[in-house]
Amino acid sequence: MSKKPFKILSIDGGGIKGLYSATILKNFEAEFKTLTSEHFDLICGTSTGGLIALAISQGISCSHICDFYQRHGRKIFPDRPLLLRWLQWLEIKLLGGKFLFGQTFWFGKYSSKPLKIALEELFGSKTIGESQNLLCIPTYDITDARPWIFKFDHGELSRDNKAAYVDVALATCAAPTYFPIHEIPFYQNKQFIDGGVWANNPTLTGVIEALKFFLEGDGGYDSIQVLSVSSLSITQGQPTGWRRKRSFIGWRSDLFDVFTDSQSQFTHYVLTTLSQLKSIPIEYERIPSESISRNQAHLVQMDNASSNALDLIAGKGEDVGTVQRKRQEVKKFFSTLKTYQTSNHGK
């Protein structure tokens, strides 16, 4: 009897740094002359990774997704007005930190309107029921105070297929203090925030989905194969002697980075451990972050969409993608097609 693996693609969150993940996947598509959506049964993505996952599930090429970041990044994360830039300069001089004035005292750092317009251009009026792949898109339902995963309805599920792609993307991308909370009328006006608060690396959500519904079901799957793509992150740590007593302002945007980076690392540890256990049939491959120097760190922020930052992020993605596309561990994911067909299920 031939093996039938359930194949999962997982993409981390990271704001504009999603360009790094998309560029790596663009390299894979160029190498194997294919679309990513044709090779994975389930696609998971959080925040900007959720945006990429949703686009892939529509059969959109990763080259087009990279163009999306290049064209819309500066509109989604615009330069600050002159007054706020002056306040930023003052804060750096007085506090030695990153700008957080409007983010702390007013109404968040950015409007979601440019992002919504860009998403409407990308997805139109598509709904989850039109996805070409199974989906796990984490967010957090603050109305009911619980994690929430948007899914393509399969088997016994019947909740999300009529939800709009644009709403799902805005919900998983609603990073606290960066973008407004997203309210979705389809779910009786429940309010959602970025899934990165609990699942910035969403790989475990996909593995649990596979174990619960597909390896135990009648689909004939006998194992799980996972390709996890990281965001670009600064992993060099802080020097000793950091000031220990820190308020919210003292932490600034480092606080959100600590949550998301540590969660991603923990999930990687769990999956690495599970894949080493013979009793659990999981093959796991992680595409890591590229190294970032101290001099580059100021360009690698989730909301820095300057031309220099985009060039650096895309360049890092090209470097990693060029190397990873030649590895046998990556080739195996693109040597077989997905076996789960969403078109065979009701919408």
Side-chain angles (χ1 to χ4, degrees):
M1 181 178 178
S2 61
K3 287 188 174 183
K4 186 179 178 183
F6 186 84
K7 299 170 66 181
I8 300 171
L9 173 66
S10 177
I11 309 166
D12 284 17
I16 194 64
K17 295 180 293 181
L19 176 60
Y20 171 79
S21 310
T23 302
I24 292 171
L25 291 169
K26 181 188 74 170
N27 270 268
F28 296 167
E29 290 187 345
E31 176 73 14
F32 305 110
K33 298 178 175 56
T34 190
L35 291 175
T36 302
S37 62
E38 297 177 356
H39 298 275
F40 294 91
D41 301 295
L42 169 63
I43 305 178
C44 313
T46 298
S47 193
T48 194
L51 189 160
I52 296 170
L54 290 166
I56 289 172
S57 76
Q58 278 297 308
I60 296 172
S61 72
C62 290
S63 176
H64 187 87
I65 299 171
C66 290
D67 290 342
F68 174 90
Y69 284 101
Q70 295 281 4
R71 289 191 299 115
H72 296 289
R74 202 63 176 268
K75 301 171 189 173
I76 296 168
F77 299 111
D79 285 339
R80 304 173 185 95
L82 182 60
L83 174 61
L84 296 187
R85 276 185 278 155
W86 180 82
L87 289 170
Q88 177 186 17
W89 175 85
L90 184 63
E91 184 195 42
I92 289 173
K93 289 295 183 182
L94 296 179
L95 300 178
K98 299 173 187 174
F99 179 68
L100 201 65
F101 190 85
Q103 202 169 350
T104 303
F105 297 110
W106 294 341
F107 40 76
K109 203 169 186 180
Y110 302 106
S111 166
S112 60
K113 289 181 180 178
L115 176 58
K116 183 178 180 181
I117 291 170
L119 291 170
E120 288 173 340
E121 178 185 316
L122 186 65
F123 296 128
S125 59
K126 296 285 187 182
T127 59
I128 295 298
E130 297 173 81
S131 174
Q132 298 176 20
N133 307 83
L134 294 166
L135 290 168
C136 279
I137 309 295
T139 185
Y140 188 81
D141 169 10
I142 62 171
T143 301
D144 298 318
R146 60 177 176 138
W148 183 288
I149 305 174
F150 295 103
K151 303 178 182 181
F152 177 90
D153 292 337
H154 60 82
E156 62 192 60
L157 304 183
S158 58
R159 188 188 68 181
D160 296 329
N161 268 11
K162 293 183 180 179
Y165 264 68
V166 171
D167 276 326
V168 172
L170 287 170
T172 194
C173 288
T177 77
Y178 285 91
F179 288 112
I181 292 167
H182 189 59
E183 186 173 285
I184 305 181
F186 178 72
Y187 296 102
Q188 294 74 49
N189 293 318
K190 288 183 186 292
Q191 295 181 314
F192 300 91
I193 59 174
D194 195 315
V197 299
W198 69 276
N200 196 60
N201 176 346
T203 308
L204 272 175
T205 67
V207 170
I208 292 170
E209 189 80 356
L211 290 171
K212 182 177 180 180
F213 292 106
F214 296 98
L215 263 68
E216 293 293 326
D218 57 1
Y221 297 101
D222 55 14
S223 61
I224 300 171
Q225 292 181 347
V226 182
L227 178 62
S228 175
V229 183
S230 72
S231 179
L232 193 59
S233 60
I234 302 168
T235 57
Q236 294 178 325
Q238 299 292 343
T240 57
W242 229 34
R243 182 165 57 86
R244 294 186 297 118
K245 295 181 178 180
R246 290 181 175 270
S247 65
F248 176 73
I249 294 176
W251 273 99
R252 300 179 292 278
S253 58
D254 287 330
L255 186 60
F256 194 74
D257 292 341
V258 167
F259 286 135
T260 56
D261 289 347
S262 60
Q263 189 280 328
S264 292
Q265 292 170 27
F266 174 71
T267 297
H268 173 58
Y269 167 76
V270 171
L271 264 296
T272 300
T273 302
L274 289 177
S275 66
Q276 293 170 349
L277 302 176
K278 295 181 181 179
S279 59
I280 302 178
I282 297 176
E283 296 180 49
Y284 170 69
E285 186 65 31
R286 173 82 163 166
I287 308 297
S289 172
E290 175 72 316
S291 297
I292 301 298
S293 72
R294 288 285 181 189
N295 291 333
Q296 296 170 331
H298 70 286
L299 294 173
V300 184
Q301 307 295 329
M302 68 175 290
D303 61 342
N304 187 343
S306 67
S307 58
N308 287 340
L310 292 176
D311 285 345
L312 176 66
I313 294 168
K316 293 290 186 181
E318 290 287 354
D319 291 344
V320 172
T322 299
V323 172
Q324 292 286 336
R325 65 198 283 181
K326 299 298 183 182
R327 297 179 61 235
Q328 290 300 322
E329 293 86 349
V330 169
K331 289 181 179 181
K332 71 181 179 184
F333 287 98
F334 293 88
S335 63
T336 59
L337 298 174
K338 66 184 178 184
T339 54
Y340 189 93
Q341 302 296 327
T342 57
S343 58
N344 295 335
H345 296 76
K347 297 184 178 180

